[in-house]
Amino acid sequence: RRGQARLGRDALHEALADLLGACKLEPQNRDFRAEHNQLRTLTAEQPALANRLQDLAVVEEKALRQLHTARADEALRAFALLQRECDSETVAVQLPHWEARAALGQGLAHRHAGRRVEAREAFERALERAVSEHARAPVAAVHATVQLCL
């Protein structure tokens, strides 16, 4: 479970180590082996992916700190950078959950700055980008909460 959680947080190297440990503890478990092999293949095909995901996390953390300290315009620029990095044509792996996170952050920054129309558009974009139910739930919750305030 820890390997799956780390994979969900984009900590690929740690997830790979945890899944390998799970495979050693339960060598007959096909699910563990399949997840481990899939992740190992992904990291072998995209060796820079783990670093890229870590860079995205750093940009998001910076933007969230700026938003927390009431610097909405600076946060908006950082979330826009995050969005551009996800949309970049050089991205070999599509990152829809990061696109959703960037749009959600942009919506929060717009809302904090009092730009309601832009906030609503950004939240709707975040909902479109959140492809799985697991990803849609927190986006929808934030969107619904903010809608009450708009």
Side-chain angles (χ1 to χ4, degrees):
R1 290 184 185 184
R2 188 175 66 183
Q4 293 168 335
R6 286 183 171 170
L7 183 58
R9 290 184 339 179
D10 295 325
L12 300 185
H13 294 303
E14 293 88 351
L16 193 59
D18 285 341
L19 288 170
L20 178 61
C23 288
K24 288 180 181 178
L25 288 174
E26 293 185 39
Q28 302 303 319
N29 189 320
R30 291 182 182 179
D31 293 335
F32 289 160
R33 285 199 320 259
E35 284 188 62
H36 178 263
N37 290 337
Q38 182 181 16
L39 184 56
R40 188 176 59 191
T41 301
L42 177 66
T43 55
E45 291 173 355
Q46 303 290 328
L49 180 61
N51 292 337
R52 182 172 184 75
L53 294 173
Q54 188 174 16
D55 291 346
L56 292 175
V58 168
V59 172
E60 182 187 45
E61 179 64 30
K62 178 182 176 185
L64 290 171
R65 271 189 264 117
Q66 290 168 335
L67 189 59
H68 182 70
T69 57
R71 295 182 293 178
D73 289 333
E74 291 177 33
L76 188 59
R77 283 192 293 275
F79 283 120
L81 172 64
L82 185 62
Q83 186 73 48
R84 282 193 305 276
E85 287 296 314
C86 293
D87 290 341
S88 171
E89 292 180 11
T90 61
V91 177
V93 175
Q94 295 301 311
L95 305 168
H97 65 285
W98 277 101
E99 292 176 34
R101 290 163 72 161
L104 183 61
Q106 288 171 334
L108 291 171
H110 281 304
R111 175 65 184 108
H112 189 70
R115 295 184 289 265
R116 294 178 176 183
V117 173
E118 292 89 344
R120 183 174 289 119
E121 291 170 355
F123 288 132
E124 289 170 1
R125 216 172 37 250
L127 282 170
E128 290 171 9
R129 297 293 189 193
V131 292
S132 69
E133 279 304 311
H134 178 71
R136 286 184 69 83
V139 173
V142 171
H143 183 267
T145 303
V146 173
Q147 283 296 96
L148 294 173
C149 301
L150 291 178

